[in-house]
Amino acid sequence: MRTAPTILHLDMDAFFASVEQASKPSLRGKAVVVGGLGPRGVVATCSYEARVFGVHSAMPMGQARRLAPHAAYLVPRFELYRSISEQVMRLLRELSPLVEPLSLDEAFVDLEAGGTAWDAESARLAGVKLRSDIRAVTGLTGSVGLAASKMLAKIASEEAKPDGLVLIPPGTERAMLEPMTVRTLPGVGPATGDHLRRAGITTVGEIAEAGEDELVRLLGKAHGHALYAMALARDERPVVAERETKSVSVEDTYDVDIHDRVRVGVEVGRLADRCVRRLRSSGLSGRTIVLKVRRYDFSTLTRSETLRGPTDDPAVVREAAARLLDSVDTTGGVRLLGVGVTGLADFTQEDLLAQAAGGGAEDLAEEPEAEPVAEHSSSPAERRWPAGHDVRHAELGHGWVQGSGLGRVTVRFETPYSEVGRVRTFPVGDPDLTPADPLPLVAVAEDGAGQSSLPLPASLPKSWSGGGGEAATSRP
């Protein structure tokens, strides 16, 4: 059993919201909520300033708006979040070959396996350096927990939030755990917590006192044994560098139920194409096509079809998804659709192309990732301007969408490196206004050969342009 606190858990602080604040000077220090903005949207994450009002992840967006009516409500920019996540994961892999990502903003690292740490002091120094490197490369903060096991390291990072580091010294684990609520332990959700509370068990120390036999009686053999071991600070799970991807899927929730059968078919085809793009970007293919349909009454149906072999051909996946849709009654309306592929492999069978109507493979048209809540315009020709997304004006430079409606779009012109920018409103079809790619959160200087080098210092020369029409003067 490992005794040195060389398991590190990193959890970026309010990741999506922090990215938005870092890229938008006018939102720094303000309440920011990121998620689906339609009537059925939910909160993906929110800034610490918004949490003061009771807003939290997975909350219905309507409830969040009632609690924090003056917050900034933004549509996620997942491609930007992924790119920043990749920067963070690269820093983690410099520490050790054993990095276990849990999500875009969270991962375990085995520092001992990388020779980075072997005792408490070396682990603490590695954690301090990691947090400093993350801030230098991304401009963001992360909280670090260090302990002798994954469970304790994750608990430590929660204690460290926001923007802190907590190390659990060897020999103090049980004393630290005992006063904590039972919900602190992994696998203890609301139902299990209530069950334990009714038995008079509310803290981790009381779980240990109850004994293994009593926990098995209350919770069953597997759960009882596991919970007793965790209460004694026992966790032998290793850090696993590679998690096998079991499926690739995409889904959209619609603001208004879709009743038109033709429209449902079009949406399924679009989702199939997005799913295949994800397959290809991961170098994967799959044998089983899965269709998910949530109807007007919240009933959810899934249908699947297994092919002769793995494929990453869009026509094959579209055809299979369409056949699956034929077996589903959508008369009352559809509120959610999803298409997924399972039975993954890293190769394809060329003869599967014959399954597609018309034969050969076809190229996928570029289409941006949809937000968690799809907001469909009644006019197909009308341009959409998601709140928080980047735009560029031919004269005014780089900015972001504050809001749109009634044929108008309001834009704040600022960059991650500028002062708070000015606000202008335009017709939604203004030819001088176009969607733009996000700018890096940290300005990067270029050497004489045009290659990126170190991040620029906090005080930038006024002649340096942050990518828009305004000279950048400073960054946090």
Side-chain angles (χ1 to χ4, degrees):
M1 179 178 175
R2 187 190 303 255
T3 57
T6 53
I7 299 296
L8 180 148
H9 182 260
L10 170 71
D11 197 352
M12 299 296 289
D13 298 322
F15 184 50
F16 296 175
S18 293
V19 170
E20 299 300 342
Q21 289 178 317
S23 67
K24 300 171 172 65
S26 58
L27 297 185
R28 292 168 191 167
K30 306 290 181 60
V32 174
V33 181
V34 180
L37 302 190
R40 294 172 178 167
V42 297
V43 175
T45 193
C46 59
S47 68
Y48 288 98
E49 294 85 356
R51 296 179 191 189
V52 171
F53 299 99
V55 181
H56 58 78
S57 299
M59 172 181 285
M61 192 60 75
Q63 183 180 354
R65 288 186 184 275
R66 289 190 294 272
L67 291 172
H70 303 298
Y73 289 85
L74 308 176
V75 173
R77 297 185 292 168
F78 286 113
E79 287 305 314
L80 176 60
Y81 307 150
R82 289 189 188 102
S83 68
I84 296 169
S85 173
E86 289 170 3
Q87 292 178 303
V88 173
M89 295 302 165
R90 279 196 295 270
L91 292 174
L92 297 182
R93 291 186 181 99
E94 291 176 4
L95 295 175
S96 172
L98 290 184
V99 176
E100 182 179 337
L102 303 179
S103 63
L104 289 177
D105 62 337
E106 185 180 1
F108 287 110
V109 184
D110 188 332
L111 298 177
E112 187 175 359
T116 308
W118 49 92
D119 60 12
E121 182 58 19
S122 58
R124 187 188 67 80
L125 291 175
V128 169
K129 183 178 185 301
L130 173 64
R131 294 179 61 241
S132 175
D133 289 345
I134 288 173
R135 187 185 290 272
V137 171
T138 69
L140 304 176
T141 64
S143 295
V144 166
L146 291 157
S149 69
K150 290 167 69 172
M151 178 191 76
L152 292 169
K154 184 171 175 61
I155 290 173
S157 70
E158 285 296 320
E159 293 292 306
K161 281 189 167 294
D163 190 19
L165 182 152
V166 168
L167 182 148
I168 301 177
T172 68
E173 295 90 350
R174 287 194 61 180
M176 181 271 299
L177 282 175
E178 283 179 355
M180 292 185 168
T181 171
V182 295
R183 293 288 302 277
T184 303
L185 299 179
V188 181
T192 302
D194 287 344
H195 196 53
L196 291 170
R197 180 181 52 78
R198 287 194 294 271
I201 300 172
T202 60
T203 69
V204 176
E206 289 169 347
I207 290 178
E209 291 175 6
E212 192 167 14
D213 291 342
E214 176 65 7
L215 290 170
V216 169
R217 186 186 69 80
L218 289 171
L219 304 174
K221 187 174 182 180
H223 202 180
H225 286 316
L227 202 58
Y228 182 69
M230 288 189 289
L232 298 180
R234 297 173 186 164
D235 178 17
E236 300 296 329
R237 294 174 301 158
V239 175
V240 181
E242 297 294 334
R243 286 177 172 270
E244 181 182 359
T245 302
K246 296 183 178 180
S247 66
V248 173
S249 63
V250 296
E251 62 183 43
D252 278 346
T253 302
Y254 303 97
D255 290 347
V256 179
D257 290 347
I258 304 175
H259 293 83
D260 183 354
R261 183 74 177 189
V262 174
R263 166 78 184 286
V264 173
V266 169
E267 291 297 316
V268 167
R270 184 177 62 81
L271 289 166
D273 285 349
R274 281 175 51 201
C275 185
V276 171
R277 277 198 297 279
R278 289 194 178 182
L279 271 179
R280 289 182 170 182
S281 67
S282 301
L284 297 171
S285 59
R287 294 186 64 218
T288 301
I289 315 303
V290 180
L291 175 70
K292 177 180 177 181
V293 179
R294 181 165 297 148
R295 298 188 291 189
Y296 69 98
D297 58 357
F298 287 89
S299 62
T300 302
L301 304 176
T302 57
R303 299 288 186 269
S304 64
E305 175 181 322
T306 299
L307 308 174
R308 294 195 302 269
T311 185
D312 67 351
D313 182 79
V316 173
V317 176
R318 277 201 304 271
E319 288 281 329
R323 287 193 296 271
L324 294 170
L325 180 61
D326 287 341
S327 66
V328 177
D329 179 10
T330 62
T331 306
V334 170
R335 60 185 292 122
L336 177 147
L337 291 168
V339 173
V341 177
T342 66
L344 301 183
D346 57 2
F347 64 93
T348 62
Q349 283 189 210
E350 295 298 329
D351 64 347
L352 286 177
L353 299 179
Q355 294 184 23
E362 57 186 90
D363 292 332
L364 289 171
E366 289 297 321
E367 177 189 349
E369 288 287 333
E371 303 89 56
V373 177
E375 299 174 0
H376 294 277
S377 168
S378 58
S379 172
E382 184 177 287
R383 298 163 73 185
R384 295 175 57 212
W385 301 102
H389 282 223
D390 299 84
V391 295
R392 177 176 293 279
H393 190 271
E395 295 181 7
L396 300 174
H398 194 96
W400 58 277
V401 176
Q402 280 201 321
S404 63
L406 301 177
R408 297 180 177 86
V409 55
T410 300
V411 177
R412 185 180 289 274
F413 290 96
E414 60 186 8
T415 74
Y417 339 107
S418 73
E419 303 294 337
V420 173
R422 57 183 179 268
V423 176
R424 294 281 301 273
T425 299
F426 308 91
V428 292
D430 191 319
D432 288 337
L433 193 66
T434 57
D437 292 330
L439 298 175
L441 299 186
V442 175
V444 178
E446 290 187 352
D447 60 24
Q451 299 297 314
S452 296
S453 59
L454 295 175
L456 289 174
S459 179
L460 301 174
K462 291 184 181 295
S463 61
W464 188 88
S465 172
E470 304 167 13
T473 57
S474 65
R475 65 172 177 83

